[in-house]
Amino acid sequence: MTSHPSAVTQRPQFRTATSTFPNHIDRINSQSYQRVRRSVPRQAIRDSTYAPHPSQDSFQPAVKRQKLTAEINLPGSIHQGTKFETSPSTGTLSTFPQQASQYTWVKNPPIREDLSPSIASNDESISHDCSPPLPPFPVRPGRHALRRGIQPANELAIHNQTRGEDVRVKPYILEVPSSAPRYRQDEPADFFPWTGNRPEDVLNEATTRQGFYDKIQISQNETSTARPSVWSSLKHKSGLQILSSLLVSALDKRQAHGMITATCTFKPPPRVTLTDTKREAWLRDLANPTISLRRLSRTIPHGIRGKALLDHCLTKNIPTDRAIWLAKCVGANEIRAFKRKGTSGAFAVGGETKWMRDWTLNLEQFIETIIGCCGTSEWNAKVNYGLRLASHLFSEHLLDQDHYLDWILASLYNSDLDNVSIWLLVAQIHWKEILQFRQRGRRLAEALLEQFRKAKYNDSEETYVPILQWLAKMLRSFMRISPSCFILPNCWAKYQSVLKVCLDEHDSAACSSFERLSRRNARLTTALNGKTDHMRKSPMQRLISLLDNIPARYSITEISEACLKSVDNSDLRVTTLLEWASSLYRSGLARLYIALRLLRRWAKTGVDLNQPILAFLAANRDMTGQQSSIIFRIIAELVRSKNFSIGRYLQWLMARGALRDRNSLLQDDSCDIRLLSELPLHGLPVHMINLRQLLLASVGVSTADEDVSIFSAKARLAEQIPGFCSSARTSAYRNLKLSNTRDLSQTVKFDIGRWVRQCVADRLQRHGADAFVEPEDPISDCSSLDSLSLKEFRDIKVLLEDLNDFPILADILEMFSECEDCLILAFAVDTINQHLNVLVAIGAAGDLFRSFCNQYEAICSRKAEEKPLVISLIDLAGRLPGSAQAARKLRKDLLLYEQKFTAAACSPISDHMAEALQSAEINFTDEVEQLLASGTSMDKQTMTQIFRTMMKRLDYSWADSAQSSFQIVELLARLRPFDAIKFDTLILDWLEEVLISIDRPKISMIIPPLICAGCLTLETVLGQARLLLSDIERSDYLFDRATEMLEILTRKDFATLSADCKRYRFHEQQHRALQTSSSPVMALVGATVEACSKAGEPQRARAQALISSPEVITLTRNLVLYRSEDLPMIESMFAVGLSIIQVQRAIDGMIDPAHQFNLLHLDASAQVSSLSQILSDFNIPLCKLKLNALFDGASETISDTMVNTLVERAKSSISSDSYLWKSVLSGLSHPHGIRIREKAEDELLSAILDWTTKNQDNSDDLESSKHLLSSLLSIIDATGFTIVDVGASLLITQIADKLLGIISFFQLTTLTDNLSSGREENRPENSERRLKMVYLWLDALLRLLTIHQSTLQHSRFSQINLSCLLINLSVLLIHPLLTSHPNLSLQIFDVVAIFTDSLLDETRSRCIRILRDQHKASDSRLHFLFGYSEAVEGEWLQLATSSSSSLEPRKAVAAGAKLTAAPQPFPLRRWEMMQDATPLVGENDTSLSLSLFGARKAVL
């Protein structure tokens, strides 16, 4: 390559590791050098001062000649006076003769290779008269060390300092001289370095004699001007045209000559196996940006791949662009290796895909390793480099983008809170790519919500406040940008509250968007995960569930706050509480007083109780499923506490005219009227009492009957308790016949209770002057006695229990806490233990316990304590919350009490055992008691002997008397503390023998005393009974034992329980049996039901009587209500005896406790119809049990009739109580649920008729169709748990056909509207009505698809049918007719979204291809749902083929052939899109062949 005529050739700078060479001599231009002739070789004018270092390789280029910048004279060569200088503009050396004279050359001095500056300055051939002297000649390269004009004295020191060092030679770098001539476009002219092999460096005779110069080649054809030949042509008229044709022809020739036709010679840089040292050196060179990639592309070190490649880039800090280049080189070679192995087609593509996946995994591991090194040195720089490198690889499509994004989302979701910030940063880098696709956007939303939930509810929440703020900001922005990504029907219940916390309450737009999201997710939620109630509970059901699950130890304040949170409406809250407290499906009096305390607490906060109570009375006049006595009791208690106004009630009653046309007041009358006779009168004004009397008299009721009842009750109590009140005043009422105390009105009960409390207070006080005595009361005189006996106290307790007036009982117990009789105190404490649940609900249990404890301490300070009182207080302390310290103190006192009776010389019990165990029967109890009190220790053998002896005596004592039996039981209880573990083992073995023994007494006689004494627990007994019933073959004996155990669970009184035993212990364990031993209880009930049909005659009759008893019905009802999760087991338990009339009566007794509907005498269809009247929020599990029992006991024909009846009743009732029917239907067994669902689906599809034949002119048809479709969809939704998730479904095909018909109707409607536009005679009413009907049908089909989404999302469902369904939905989504119906469009969008989330890649590609090619769909919503862009990857570049198959594309372009109009996609080889792939630049060495584009060479 020769230089430009006006350019100067200059060698670049050459540097080594230890020195830097200065600028060198510029090569003199050949034209300017012709005037200075020379006859010596060029190397003769080299400077030895600038010779390279000896360590330089011989193949490296030599240094440049020194530039002459000073004026010089050449004595002996050129005449004196000739001046040389360097041109500042061109950098050339020129001469300026001072005199006009000839230049004469003289002989040069001999060449000397060891010249130094000092020697050269003393050379003879140099004239000392010339100033300045010539520079010394340079020496041959590589012969002498580098010198920079250093003084000789310093050369040795420098040489010693650098001796022995390994000096690295920097590679050759081509640099453009700053003084090089430039073109107009500021580009430098051609130049080249001096390497010694250029033409001007060759010494021959010609160059020696004449020198070297560039010869200008002058063509012979250009000897003269072209004007004569051209001018003749231009003179003609067509001359200009001829000239134009000539120029065009020249341009065509030029284009054809410059067209690139060479074959593509691209080849990725080869890989060569290198040593570790050379590989490290190559990597360091790659990290150096000053070294060109063309030089490095000669050889790529083999073995650098995968994660090792990324690690090298990180450790060597290779620039990102060069690291990408290295990755492309390695990747291109790896991918080409698959083709060289002989594979082709699908195998080669599969191998390339697998390699790409492995490479992506390596990159992911690389980033995980960097993130895992958090806190180490230079971690920040490593993370920045790693993320930058990964981002570039992602943007250039050099990895599996789908897998990489999925990995980011999975890592963000599973990350702990310590590393979540870096994953949030990674997600933000690819935020745009993630949100382009709904499937990934949904996963991102789930990940952000999950991380926010973990940080929000973490124990160290303050530590993660910045993370919370960051996540909240991202979620708010995310929800504003892409709210559709928050359509999460499967986990919305989990994250709804989390997302709500992130929002700003003052941002109305965000709050409204959140509400819309809630509605959209609720619309997509279905019952697909089992039989549980899939729906969101109503506020009423939430409150009922809260009240049913009140813990044993509760705070009324916490319960009140929970109720306020669950229900915002105060009226609904009050009425629900009244229904719960008075429901026939709930048991116990504690709920009454819990409701009372809650109502009084709410009344203090300003809640008006009068209006909701009156509304409740008006709405529940017949009290179906309610206990009217409890309602009256609650209202009476509210009147007593001044929380309910009787005046407003009387006004409300008269204003409604409720007493009009009534002559009597019966028990069956409505409760709002009967309340008039149940009001307490104490403390009422006289005018209000008179108004009540007038209203009662208007219906034929006299208040004199109430006075007689009151006086009769007082007289009977005075007769039972002599001296309780004046006998002279009671004689007139003793002959009155008093009805049952429990049947008295609340008016009478309240008056009697108040009177009893007043009498007890006066009796216990020495001075009764301040006692309140009503003057009109004929029995008001109290005696002056200051105490009451235990029998009198027991009679008062029984009377108040009959009256159910536990607040008065609590007041009397408080009065008796000041008594000094330990027996009365112990009985009072036992009374508290007996009614502890009610007293806790009243709020008096804690105060009573403290009062009795104080009295106990006062008694102990004066005399010895009594053991019964201590034991009762210990039992009470163990059941009350916050009484652990008092219980420990009481146990310590009991231990001290027992130690007082221990012998002074403590000895083992075995020393006295022989005499005691051989005593007579009469003295056995006393001897054993002395034996237990005479020692403090006992070995296991002794305990076993004593236990067996006492058990033998116990077996004989059951026939004698309950008192003697209980004495032995108490001795057993005293035996247990010596070794509790051994005692429990012994009694468990004994219990097992008793249960399998036939000659033993009934276990109902043996077990209760042992439980009351504390020797056994009911839970242990039930566990042993369950093991006994686990035998597959059950005999009559086992059935008998099961019925006995069930009697123990349900009975309250037993003959073997004396009055002195702690009965409350047994009753407490009966009450807790459902919570602690529900499985054994169900096993006992199931065995009893089985005995009703399989046992022998005596056992069968007993089991049938027991299973239909009120106690067992109550137990089973509570089991169904409180253990609803075990409902399938209970159903199977009753299925064995459904043919037995007593079992049917038991089920009917649970569902209809008051026997209002007499279900047993109705047929199956009538019973199903009656369930619609019985169904309420309090008996949903019972209705499920009844329905399943009806279906299980019916034949096939009756079942079909029941299905039709049930569907019809559900359709008629589901509009008002939809959630109740959904809850019931969702609890049906699987076979029955399938039949009901299929029946409803058939009716639904038959309701969607052909719109071309059905007349829709009547607007009533639209409303009726809307109600019908809504009811049927509710039934299908409730029975959605029966949908099978496998195989194809004929229903889905029918739905697809219906959707296709709707599309056709829309297209026809659009065409008709276009044709009739502009015609005034065409009125659109009929068309609009039809459109509304079609919209209604479309909504029903969409909801039906939502219910069946599990079938559509199953992997074995037909993908062809699914793709057809999705295509139809997508066409409907973008149809212009739905633009005026945004809610329906949004519903279609949501349905398609939940189906595309789990779509297979093959099905997704098929849908994309059909929508894009056939339907020409370019809607952005479809791009978002299916995950494709307008320009699919690899299709933006296409290859056009010529019409002639014989021409190649590049030749066709050159020949101007016509191309076809259907180009094919031309995928790019991303891994081969690299620069500087070869060491030398070729004509067509790019990865994408330039001939495909008709590229031409650039001509200067």
Side-chain angles (χ1 to χ4, degrees), residues 1067-1201:
H1067 296 159
E1068 178 196 0
Q1069 295 195 28
Q1070 280 182 322
H1071 179 71
R1072 291 189 304 166
L1074 289 181
Q1075 287 77 22
T1076 59
S1077 306
S1078 60
S1079 297
V1081 171
M1082 285 189 289
L1084 291 176
V1085 176
T1088 306
V1089 173
E1090 187 178 355
C1092 293
S1093 59
K1094 296 182 179 181
E1097 185 57 36
Q1099 289 81 8
R1100 182 189 304 173
R1102 181 182 178 184
Q1104 291 176 358
L1106 182 63
I1107 200 66
S1108 59
S1109 62
E1111 294 82 7
V1112 175
I1113 290 176
T1114 302
L1115 174 67
T1116 313
R1117 182 192 301 121
N1118 294 334
L1119 190 65
V1120 174
L1121 292 175
Y1122 295 107
R1123 303 290 298 181
S1124 58
E1125 63 272 11
D1126 297 328
L1127 186 59
M1129 187 183 301
I1130 300 174
E1131 291 173 356
S1132 61
M1133 181 177 67
F1134 278 99
V1136 181
L1138 289 178
S1139 59
I1140 308 301
I1141 192 69
Q1142 286 79 6
V1143 177
Q1144 298 178 12
R1145 185 179 291 113
I1147 297 176
D1148 294 342
M1150 287 188 286
I1151 192 68
D1152 185 20
H1155 304 287
Q1156 297 178 358
F1157 298 93
N1158 199 9
L1159 296 175
L1160 191 61
H1161 298 84
L1162 300 177
D1163 59 0
S1165 298
Q1167 292 186 47
V1168 171
S1169 301
S1170 300
L1171 282 179
S1172 61
Q1173 304 176 31
I1174 300 175
L1175 182 61
S1176 68
D1177 292 278
F1178 300 94
N1179 58 8
I1180 293 176
L1182 297 173
C1183 291
K1184 296 178 183 179
L1185 176 64
K1186 177 63 177 178
L1187 273 179
N1188 286 319
L1190 288 174
F1191 277 107
D1192 292 338
S1195 62
E1196 189 70 21
T1197 305
I1198 298 177
S1199 296
D1200 294 338
T1201 306

Side-chain angles (χ1 to χ4, degrees), residues 33 38-46 65 108-111 137-138 140 194 200-204 207-209 211:
Y33 192 71
R38 63 183 184 181
S39 59
V40 294
R42 178 163 296 181
Q43 61 267 24
I45 55 174
R46 294 172 182 162
R65 300 183 182 92
N108 290 299
I111 299 174
F137 291 104
R140 290 185 179 275
W194 180 75
E200 64 269 22
D201 296 326
V202 178
L203 293 179
N204 52 28
T207 56
T208 303
R209 293 180 179 273

Side-chain angles (χ1 to χ4, degrees), residues 45-49 66 115-117 120 134-138:
I45 55 174
R46 294 172 182 162
D47 188 359
S48 63
T49 307
Q66 185 181 10
L115 293 178
S116 64
L134 285 172
F137 291 104

Side-chain angles (χ1 to χ4, degrees), residues 410-425:
S411 300
L412 176 60
Y413 185 88
N414 299 320
S415 172
D416 54 3
L417 294 176
D418 295 333
N419 294 329
V420 70
S421 57
I422 188 63
W423 289 112
L424 288 175
L425 179 61

Side-chain angles (χ1 to χ4, degrees), residues 1345-1365:
L1345 283 175
T1346 304
I1347 296 173
H1348 285 267
Q1349 61 179 284
S1350 61
T1351 302
L1352 295 169
Q1353 293 173 349
H1354 199 272
S1355 58
R1356 283 168 38 179
F1357 183 76
S1358 175
Q1359 297 299 307
I1360 297 177
N1361 295 339
L1362 180 58
S1363 60
C1364 294
L1365 180 65

